C-alpha cells in the first residue's frame, strides 16, 4: 500500500469530503494560499476557490462563532485553529454555543462543525504554542473529540468527523505531520467510539492517545525484549470513549498504564484510569498507572522541555515495575 | 409570511391597513406575553428568572415585519419579543418558560434559550453578545449557499462591550455579508447606565469598519420598519452589512426580580417613557387618528390577544413535564447518513 | 459563635483584606452600587470608593486581562466573574497569560490575582448559567483552585487567596450564598492544600467538593442510621490537592466515593479516584466510585435538572452497595 | 535612564547630539541582534522559531526613548526590538533565545516570551493581541497606585482583529488610562496583506471610542519619538489614552523559516523599502548631513555594536542549560507573608 504523510492524509480527507458535499467549507487563518503554516491544506484553495477556503483575520472567537452560525443554517464548516493553545480563545463559542445548541433546543438545532487543531510539545515553541488541551473539551458534553495516531487514522477520523452531525474537535499532533503510514487509495471512514487494538499482548495493557500510541508501541517493543507482552490500545476518540475494548483488555492482562500528552492532573489519564480501576477492579493485579505530561507550563529550553512528556523508555520502565509487582510495595 | 408593508408614515395609511394592523397586533402580543410571564414569576409559578421585553416592542416588530421566514434572527436573554415577532406561538413559548415537554425546546432551554427554527429564530442566548458570531455566520452561510437570506442580529447596548462584535463586524464588512446588527439601546445594561460603560459613539464604531450605520427611534414601529425594509432589500443585493442603533427603553427591571431599582434609575424616568413614548399607545393613537381603525377595534384586538395569552398560560400550566428519560437525550443528534456509510463499509 | 451567611463571609473577607492592603481592588460587572446581582459585595463601594471597587462594561476578557496587567505591576486585583459559565470567555487571559507568566519568566514575574466566580446547578438557570467548570482550570498548571463548602470556609479561603502571590480561582456555590454557618469574629486564614476531615468514620470515605461536602455529610447521616460509619473529607482546594489526608482516610476505611458537581467525565472525580486507586491500591476493598454531574448540558426544566446532580440519597445508596460488597459482583 | 531628547527634526541637531546618537545606536543594536539571531537559526543553533524585527527599528526606538524605566511596555511575538529598545542586555537575550540558564527567563520563555521587568518590559507574548489587556491593566494599576507611569502596548496590524483590543480601548477611554496603543502596521499578518484582513480604518476604530489617534511614518525615528514624547507627557497628566498607527515594514519573512514568500509579496516591494525607507540608513544620512557625526563615526558605532553582539552570541553558546531540577520550579511563586501569617496563626 502507498505511504503518505499525516499532513497529506488530512488534506486528502478534506478534499474528498469537499468534493462529495458542496456544503463543506474551510475557514481559518492563512488556510488559502498559504495552506496553513504547516502547509497541511496546500492546494485546496486552488481546487475549491476562496469562497470555500476562507482566509480570516486573526479573530478566532469571531470565525468560530461564525462557523457555529453557518453550521446551524445548512453549511458544514471546518474551522482551522492554527495552534491548539488558541482553543482558550474560542471556548465560549465552542463550549457555550456549539456544544449546547442541540440540547438547549431539545434537538431542534444541530451544529455539524469540525474544529481541526493540534497538540504536542517538544517543538521548542514554548508555553503558548505547545499545549495538549484535549481534556478540556472532552469534559464538555455535546462535543466529540478525536485523536488520530497516524496518517491512516487522521484520514479516516477526519472524514467521519466531517460527516458527523455534531461538533467534533480533532487534535492532530503537530510533530507527526511528516510521519508516513500506509493509507489505502480507496475511500474509508473510521467509526467514532471504537478503539483500535494496535498490538495484542497478555501481560499489561498500554492505552495511549495521539502520538502516545507510538510511544506505547515503542515501549511494547522494548518490553518484548524483556519477555513482557504488552497490549497497545488506541481509543481513537476520547469522546465517545470505547470503554468496553479497554476493559476487556485489562480484564485479560490485569495491568494497565494510561499515557497521554495532556497535563496529568485533571486530564485524560485520570478519566481512563479511574474507569478501569472501577470497572475492572476485580481483575487488577496492580494499580493502574498514569503517565501524562508534567503539570508545568511547557518550558522553551530543550534541556527542560524533553523532560515534560512521557517517553518509551519511561513507559517501559513503569510497565516493568508493574509486572514485577514492585508497585505493590509502594502502596 | 405575507408580503410586507412598504410602510411610509403619513402616506396612504388606509392602503397599508393590513400591514399596520399586523404590526399593532404583534406589539400587543408581545406586551400580553410579557405581562403574563411576569405574573407567572410573581406568583412563583415560573422556574428561574426572566427578562421582560416590555417597552421595546416596536424594535422587534418593526424589524421582524421586514423579514421573511427564510431570513434568520439571533436573539438575546431579553428575547421573548424577538421570538413572538418572528412568528412564534404562545403555547409553545409558555410551555418552554415553564419547562414543559411541549415547549419549543422540550423544556430544556427555558426563557433564555428559546429557539424557533421554523420561523428562522436561531435562538435566544444567555451569553451577552454570544450570538454575534452565530448571526454573522448565518449570513456567511446564506451567501455561500447562494440564497438571498438576510440575518438580523439583535443585541443590547451592553453587548457592544464584547470584543466579539468587532471581530465579526470586520469580517462582515470585508466579505459584504447580508447581516444587520440591531443594537437595542435601552439605556442600561443590568444596573448600569449606558454612558458609564460605553465610550465614544456606537455608530462610529460600526462606521470605523466601513459599515453604514443608522440611528432610529426604537419606539416608532413605522420608522423602524421603513428603515429595516430598505436595508434588508439592499442587504439582499449584497450591499450589506448594516448597523442600526435603536433608541428604546425597558419598562421592567433588568429581570423580573429587579424590583427596587431606584438606586440606579429614577421612577420619573420610567413614567416619562411609559406615558409619552409607549410604542403601542402611540401607534394606536396614530392608527385611530388616521382612521385606519377605531378605538373600539383596538380594545377588541387587545382583549382577544389577552384572552389568547391567558389560554396559552393555562394550557402550559396543565401541560406535562418531559419524562425523566429525556435528560440525556439531545446531547448529540444522530448522523444517519454517516451511519449508513459506515455500515455499508463494514458489510 | 455568631452565624453568618456565605455571602456575608465573602464580603467580610474582602473588606478585611482591602483594609489591610491598599493594593487590593475589585473589578467586575455591577460590583459597585449593585454589589453584584447576588449582592455579595454590597456596601464595599461605600467604604472603599469607586477607585477600588470598579464597575466594568460587559468585557470579561478585557477586564480579566487588565487584572493580569495590574497584578504584574504592584496591584492585587480581585476579579469578579458573575457566573462561572463565563470562564469560557476568559480562558486565554486566565490560562495562557495569568497561569504562565511566572513560569515563562523563570520566576521573575508573578500574578497575585484572585478570580472569584461560582458554580452550581438546580437554580433553573439553564445550560449557560449553571455550569461547574472548576475541573478546567484545575487542569492548567500555574493556577490554584479553591472550593469553599461553607461560610466559614469561604471566608478563610478568600483571605488566603487574596494573600497568595499566585493566581487563585475561587468557586463559590451560588446556591449557598444564603446558607449560614458559625464564623468567628476574629481573623483567620485557611491554608491551601490541607483537607478538612468534616466527619470521622471507619467504613467508607466520602470525598466531596463545594456543596457536595454537604451532600456527603447528609449521606453520612443517612448511613449512620444503617450502622455505616462514613468519613467525610473536604479537600478545600483541588489545586493544591491534599492527597495525603485523602489516602490516609481510604487506607483506613478501604472504600471511597468521590462526589463533585462538575460533569463526571474528564473532571475532578476521575482525578481524585484515580489517585486513590493507584496509591491506596493495596488497601481497597471495593472500587472507588465516582459521582459527578451527568454528562449533559444543564437542562432548564426542573423535572430534568434535579436529575443531573448527586443527591444525599444517591450517595448513601452507592455507599451501601459498596459496603455490602455488591459492587464486586458487578466488576 | 537619562533625560530624553526634545527632538525636533531640523532644530538644533547638534544640541541633541547625545540623544540622536543613542537612538541611532539603539537601532543598530536591534539590527545587529536580529542578524545574529537569524544566523543562529540558519545554522540550526537556535531551538524553535523566531520572528525578526529588522526594518521596524525606528518604531521601538522612537517610542522607548520617550519612556523611563518606570514606564511599562508589553511586547509581541516579534519582540526583540522592543526588548533591546527598552534597555535589555544582549547576553541575557541571546541566552534566552538559546534556552540557557542565564537567559532573562532562565531559558523557560525563549524568543516569544522574553520579559525584562527591570526595565519595565512586561514581556513578549505568543498570543496575538494577548498583551492588550495586560498593558491596559498596567496603566490602570499605575493610576490606582498614584504614579505617573505610562504604558505602551505594542502590537501589529493583524492584532487589530482581536476583539480584546476594543474591550480594553473602551475601558481605557472611560477611565482615562495612561496607555498608548502602538500599532506597527507592517503591511502583513503572516502571509496575508493587511488590506485583506482589515476593513475600514484603524485610526477610526480608536476614534470611535473617543481616543485620540495619530498616524506616523514608522521609519522616521525622530518623527516617532517626537510624537511619542508629546503623548507620553499628556498621558502622564491624565489626558490619555492614545492610539498611534506606525507605518513600517518587516524585512524578513513572517518568521525565520519563511524564506520563499513571493506568493504573498513581491521581491521588488521588499527591495524598495530596504533601499529607500531604511530607518537606520536614512537617520544615519541625516545625522551626517546635519554634521552631528561623520560617516566614519557611524561605521565605528556599527562595528562596535556588531562585535558586542557576536561576543554575546559566543557567550550564550557556551553558557549552561538550566539544570533538570528547574523543570518544575516557577510554576508557582512563594508567598512568604502569607506563610508567616499562617504559621503565626497555628502557633
Ligand atoms: C458574557 C456575559 N456577561 C454578563 C452577563 C450577565 N448579564 C446578563 S444581561 C446583562 C446586561 C446586558 O445589557 P444589554 O446588552 O444592554 O441588554 P439589556 O439587558 O439591556 O436588554 C448582563 C451583564 C451575561 N449573561 N453574559
Ligand atoms: C491568537 C493568535 N492567533 C494566531 C497566531 C499565529 N500568528 C502569529 S503571528 C501572526 C501574525 C500577526 O500579525 P501582526 O499582528 O500584523 O504582527 P506581525 O507579525 O506583522 O509583526 C499570527 C497569525 C497567534 N500567535 N495567536
Ligand atoms: Mg441595555
Ligand atoms: Mg503585521
Amino acid at each position: 500500500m502507498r505511504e503518505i504523510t499525516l499532513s497529506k492524509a488530512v488534506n486528502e480527507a478534506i478534499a474528498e469530503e469537499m468534493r462529495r458535499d458542496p456544503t463543506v467549507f474551510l475557514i481559518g487563518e492563512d488556510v488559502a494560499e498559504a495552506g496553513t503554516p504547516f502547509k497541511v491544506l496546500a492546494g485546496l484553495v486552488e481546487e475549491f476557490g476562496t469562497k470555500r477556503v476562507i482566509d480570516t483575520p486573526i479573530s478566532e472567537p469571531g470565525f468560530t462563532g461564525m462557523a457555529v452560525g453557518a453550521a446551524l443554517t445548512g453549511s458544514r464548516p471546518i474551522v482551522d485553529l492554527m495552534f491548539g493553545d488558541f482553543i482558550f480563545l474560542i471556548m465560549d463559542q465552542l463550549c457555550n454555543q456549539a456544544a449546547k445548541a442541540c440540547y438547549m433546543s431539545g434537538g431542534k438545532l444541530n451544529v455539524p462543525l469540525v474544529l481541526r487543531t493540534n497538540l504536542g510539545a517538544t517543538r521548542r515553541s514554548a508555553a503558548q504554542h505547545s499545549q495538549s488541551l484535549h481534556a478540556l473539551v472532552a469534559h464538555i458534553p455535546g462535543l466529540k473529540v478525536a485523536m488520530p495516531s497516524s496518517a491512516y487514522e487522521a484520514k479516516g477520523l477526519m472524514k467521519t468527523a466531517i460527516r458527523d452531525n455534531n461538533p467534533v474537535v480533532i487534535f492532530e499532533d503537530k510533530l507527526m505531520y511528516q510521519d508516513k503510514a500506509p493509507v489505502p487509495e480507496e475511500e474509508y471512514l473510521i467509526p467514532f467510539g471504537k478503539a483500535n487494538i494496535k498490538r495484542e499482548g497478555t501481560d499489561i495493557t498500554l492505552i495511549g492517545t495521539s502520538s502516545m500510541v507510538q510511544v506505547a508501541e515503542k515501549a511494547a517493543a522494548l518490553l518484548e525484549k524483556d519477555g513482557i507482552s504488552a497490549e497497545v490500545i488506541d481509543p481513537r476518540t476520547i469522546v465517545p470513549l470505547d470503554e468496553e475494548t479497554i476493559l476487556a483488555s485489562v480484564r485479560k492482562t490485569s495491568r494497565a498504564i494510561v499515557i497521554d500528552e495532556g497535563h496529568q492532573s485533571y486530564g485524560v489519564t485520570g478519566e481512563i484510569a479511574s474507569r478501569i480501576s472501577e470497572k475492572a477492579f476485580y481483575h487488577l493485579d496492580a494499580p493502574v498507572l498514569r503517565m501524562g505530561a508534567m503539570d508545568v507550563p511547557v518550558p522553551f529550553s530543550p534541556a527542560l522541555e524533553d523532560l515534560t512528556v512521557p517517553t518509551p523508555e519511561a513507559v517501559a520502565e513503569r510497565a516493568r515495575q508493574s509486572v514485577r509487582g514492585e508497585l505493590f510495595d509502594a502502596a | 409570511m405575507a408580503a410586507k408593508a412598504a410602510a411610509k408614515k403619513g402616506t396612504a395609511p388606509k392602503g397599508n391597513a393590513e400591514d399596520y394592523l399586523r404590526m399593532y397586533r404583534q406589539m400587543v402580543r408581545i406586551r400580553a406575553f410579557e405581562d403574563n410571564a411576569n405574573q407567572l414569576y410573581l406568583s412563583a409559578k415560573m422556574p428561574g428568572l426572566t427578562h421582560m421585553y416590555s417597552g421595546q416592542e416596536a424594535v422587534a416588530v418593526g424589524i421582524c415585519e421586514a423579514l421573511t421566514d427564510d431570513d434568520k434572527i439571533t436573539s438575546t436573554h431579553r428575547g421573548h419579543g424577538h421570538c413572538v415577532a418572528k412568528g412564534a406561538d404562545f403555547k409553545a413559548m409558555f410551555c418552554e418558560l415553564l419547562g414543559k415537554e411541549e415547549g419549543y425546546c422540550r423544556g430544556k432551554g427555558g426563557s433564555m434559550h428559546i429557539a424557533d427554527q421554523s420561523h428562522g429564530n436561531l435562538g435566544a442566548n444567555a451569553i451577552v453578545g454570544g450570538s454575534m458570531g452565530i448571526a454573522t455566520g448565518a449570513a456567511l452561510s446564506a451567501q455561500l449557499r447562494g440564497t438571498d437570506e438576510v440575518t438580523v442580529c439583535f443585541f443590547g447596548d451592553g453587548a457592544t462591550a464584547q470584543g466579539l462584535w468587532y471581530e465579526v463586524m470586520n469580517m462582515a464588512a470585508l466579505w459584504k455579508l447580508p447581516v444587520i446588527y440591531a443594537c437595542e439601546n435601552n439605556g442600561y445594561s443590568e444596573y448600569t447606565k449606558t454612558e458609564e460603560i460605553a465610550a465614544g459613539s456606537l455608530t462610529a464604531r460600526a462606521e470605523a469598519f466601513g459599515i453604514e450605520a443608522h440611528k432610529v427611534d426604537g419606539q416608532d414601529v413605522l420608522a423602524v420598519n421603513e428603515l429595516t425594509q430598505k436595508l434588508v432589500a439592499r442587504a439582499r443585493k449584497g450591499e450589506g452589512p448594516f448597523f442600526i442603533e435603536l433608541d428604546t427603553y425597558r419598562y421592567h427591571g433588568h429581570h423580573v426580580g429587579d424590583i427596587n431599582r431606584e438606586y440606579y434609575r429614577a421612577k420619573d424616568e420610567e413614567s416619562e417613557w411609559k406615558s409619552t413614548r409607549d410604542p403601542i399607545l402611540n401607534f394606536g393613537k396614530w392608527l385611530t387618528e388616521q382612521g385606519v381603525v377605531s378605538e373600539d377595534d383596538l380594545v377588541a384586538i387587545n382583549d382577544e390577544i389577552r384572552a389568547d395569552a391567558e389560554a396559552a398560560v393555562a394550557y402550559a400550566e396543565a401541560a406535562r413535564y418531559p419524562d425523566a428519560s429525556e435528560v440525556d437525550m439531545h446531547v448529540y443528534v444522530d448522523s444517519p447518513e454517516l451511519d449508513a456509510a459506515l455500515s455499508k463499509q463494514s458489510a
Side-chain angles (χ1 to χ4, degrees), chain A, chain B:
Chain A
M1 201 184 293
R2 68 176 183 151
E3 301 215 329
I4 61 173
T5 61
L6 192 147
S7 171
K8 176 90 175 101
V10 171
N11 189 299
E12 279 190 6
I14 293 174
E16 286 175 18
E17 294 303 306
M18 287 183 77
R19 276 176 217 131
R20 193 186 57 81
D21 181 347
T23 68
V24 177
F25 72 91
L26 266 165
I27 187 164
E29 291 154 22
D30 277 322
V31 293
E33 285 75 17
T36 79
F38 294 102
K39 306 293 167 203
V40 175
L41 305 181
L44 295 179
V45 72
E46 285 76 11
E47 178 171 355
F48 301 103
T50 52
K51 283 270 155 204
R52 292 181 68 196
V53 183
I54 305 175
D55 265 353
T56 65
I58 312 175
S59 302
E60 289 84 0
F63 64 74
T64 305
M66 288 173 63
V68 177
L72 284 169
T73 53
S75 298
R76 300 182 83 89
I78 304 173
V79 177
D80 186 285
L81 189 72
M82 197 184 292
F83 282 87
D85 311 68
F86 307 160
I87 213 161
F88 286 132
L89 286 159
I90 63 162
M91 287 295 271
D92 179 61
Q93 292 300 318
L94 188 65
C95 302
N96 273 334
Q97 311 296 345
K100 294 180 172 50
C102 182
Y103 191 84
M104 292 192 309
S105 68
K108 289 194 182 146
L109 298 172
N110 71 301
V111 182
L113 174 155
V114 176
L115 177 74
R116 71 170 284 269
T117 190
N118 51 39
L119 55 70
T122 69
R123 216 172 142 263
R124 321 304 179 213
S125 304
Q128 293 174 341
H129 278 63
S130 307
Q131 294 169 88
S132 300
L133 297 173
H134 46 292
L136 298 186
V137 286
H139 185 53
I140 304 305
L143 302 175
K144 299 187 178 183
V145 185
M147 314 269 301
S149 61
S150 72
Y152 176 84
E153 300 288 326
K155 182 167 181 185
L157 290 170
M158 177 60 79
K159 284 173 67 84
T160 302
I162 295 170
R163 297 196 199 180
D164 200 293
N165 285 336
N166 299 284
V168 177
V169 187
I170 184 157
F171 286 90
E172 298 158 9
D173 186 306
K174 54 180 135 20
L175 285 105
M176 280 170 50
Y177 281 128
Q178 296 317 313
D179 287 6
K180 289 192 170 186
V183 175
E185 306 266 3
E186 309 77 57
E187 163 156 285
Y188 64 97
L189 302 164
I190 296 179
F192 284 3
K194 295 233 187 305
N196 185 22
I197 303 176
K198 285 287 280 186
R199 177 187 175 122
E200 301 211 2
T202 51
D203 297 331
I204 189 164
T205 303
L206 306 178
I207 300 118
T209 60
S210 182
S211 64
M212 295 298 114
V213 176
Q214 296 183 6
V215 166
E217 286 186 288
K218 285 183 191 153
L222 294 173
L223 291 167
E224 193 172 22
K225 294 188 194 145
D226 300 333
I228 297 173
S229 161
E231 181 146 307
V232 175
I233 294 185
D234 172 6
R236 283 175 160 160
T237 53
I238 56 171
V239 180
L241 181 68
D242 181 359
E243 201 177 88
E244 276 321 309
T245 300
I246 295 170
L247 291 178
S249 173
V250 179
R251 288 186 185 127
K252 176 177 74 173
T253 63
S254 313
R255 290 180 161 83
I257 305 181
V258 188
I259 312 144
D260 179 77
E261 206 181 332
H263 296 301
Q264 177 160 315
S265 290
Y266 301 96
V268 168
T269 60
E271 179 62 27
I272 298 180
S274 62
R275 291 205 200 187
I276 298 171
S277 298
E278 179 178 341
K279 296 182 183 169
F281 183 76
Y282 221 27
H283 300 79
L284 286 175
D285 287 341
V288 181
L289 301 178
R290 302 159 59 196
M291 298 183 73
M294 286 182 76
D295 289 328
V296 305
V298 180
F300 166 71
S301 183
L304 302 179
E305 189 181 22
D306 290 340
L307 304 173
T308 65
V309 292
T311 60
E313 296 69 30
V315 172
E317 184 49 29
R318 292 291 272 159
R320 278 183 216 107
Q321 291 171 343
S322 175
V323 172
R324 284 190 213 123
E326 284 176 27
L327 297 159
F328 280 102
D329 305 325
Chain B
M1 213 175 267
K4 296 304 167 80
K8 210 153 210 163
K9 205 164 180 171
T11 66
K14 289 223 176 141
N16 293 320
E18 197 187 311
D19 299 320
Y20 292 166
L21 279 176
R22 203 177 44 246
M23 288 198 237
Y24 183 81
R25 290 178 62 90
Q26 287 289 66
M27 290 201 292
V28 174
R29 289 184 77 235
I30 295 172
R31 185 72 55 89
F33 185 91
E34 294 299 53
D35 287 346
N36 279 278
N38 195 36
Q39 210 40 53
L40 282 168
Y41 176 80
L42 292 176
S43 56
K45 288 181 181 162
M46 191 179 62
L49 286 179
T50 188
H51 308 81
M52 299 281 99
Y53 195 73
S54 312
Q56 308 186 190
E57 293 88 349
V59 174
V61 172
I63 288 178
C64 291
E65 283 291 316
L67 302 175
T68 72
D69 275 1
D70 288 334
D71 293 323
K72 307 288 186 284
I73 65 162
T74 61
S75 170
T76 69
H77 59 286
R78 195 177 305 288
H80 305 164
H82 312 133
C83 194
V84 171
K86 200 71 177 51
D89 166 68
F90 275 176
K91 280 189 191 159
M93 283 187 72
F94 279 118
C95 280
E96 192 57 38
L97 258 62
L98 297 184
K100 302 298 178 78
E101 185 189 276
E102 287 179 68
Y104 270 113
C105 310
R106 301 191 71 78
K108 282 190 162 128
S111 163
M112 286 205 289
H113 301 290
I114 289 196
D116 171 18
Q117 84 296 353
S118 62
H119 294 100
N121 179 355
L122 297 178
N125 210 307
I127 302 298
V128 166
S131 66
M132 290 163 162
I134 292 172
T136 311
L140 173 67
S141 165
Q143 191 189 66
L144 291 176
R145 288 179 290 112
T147 73
D148 71 350
E149 294 163 22
V150 170
T151 303
V152 174
C153 179
F154 287 103
F155 54 89
D157 47 286
T160 62
Q162 287 280 327
L164 183 63
W165 187 37
Y166 305 90
E167 298 194 357
V168 297
M169 275 203 288
N170 187 32
M171 288 184 270
L174 286 168
W175 306 334
K176 297 201 155 301
L177 298 183
V179 58
I180 298 174
Y181 300 103
C183 176
E184 303 186 62
N185 190 340
N186 62 9
Y188 294 86
S189 67
E190 280 194 351
Y191 320 111
T192 302
K193 282 196 203 307
T194 306
E195 64 246 40
E196 290 169 25
I197 51 94
S201 140
L202 298 184
T203 47
R205 296 191 196 173
E207 284 161 350
F209 291 89
I211 294 178
E212 188 179 307
H214 296 266
K215 252 186 135 145
V216 67
D217 177 358
Q219 305 308 87
D220 180 344
V221 70
L222 291 186
V224 173
N225 184 257
E226 185 185 3
L227 173 64
T228 310
Q229 291 210 38
K230 279 189 198 151
L231 299 183
V232 167
R234 289 174 57 198
R236 291 204 202 288
K237 289 190 285 181
E239 295 176 25
F242 299 103
F243 172 65
I244 314 178
E245 180 179 347
L246 302 110
D247 229 21
T248 186
Y249 200 73
R250 62 161 156 82
Y251 284 177
H252 293 260
H254 167 60
H255 57 71
V256 283
D258 172 26
I259 309 285
N260 300 318
R261 47 185 181 267
E262 276 171 275
Y263 73 95
Y264 72 86
R265 80 179 192 188
K267 283 216 166 120
D268 281 358
E269 182 186 291
E270 297 189 1
S271 47
E272 171 84 9
W273 276 84
K274 288 183 192 174
S275 59
T276 68
R277 299 191 60 183
D278 185 77
I280 300 176
L281 280 182
N282 289 354
F283 190 47
K285 196 148 44 135
W286 184 79
L287 286 176
T288 52
E289 280 165 12
Q290 301 289 322
V292 179
V293 282
S294 71
E295 294 210 7
D296 286 350
D297 292 340
L298 294 184
V299 171
I301 289 174
N302 198 56
D303 290 348
E304 176 209 323
I305 289 173
R306 297 261 152 198
D308 262 15
E310 278 158 33
V313 167
Y315 183 90
E317 288 189 275
R320 268 208 318 260
Y321 283 108
D323 188 77
S325 65
E326 294 213 20
V327 68
D328 58 2
M329 280 168 57
H330 310 128
V331 182
Y332 300 97
V333 73
D334 290 340
S335 307
E337 291 180 34
L338 169 61
D339 292 343
L342 281 166
S343 57
K344 203 174 128 201
Q345 173 177 297
S346 65

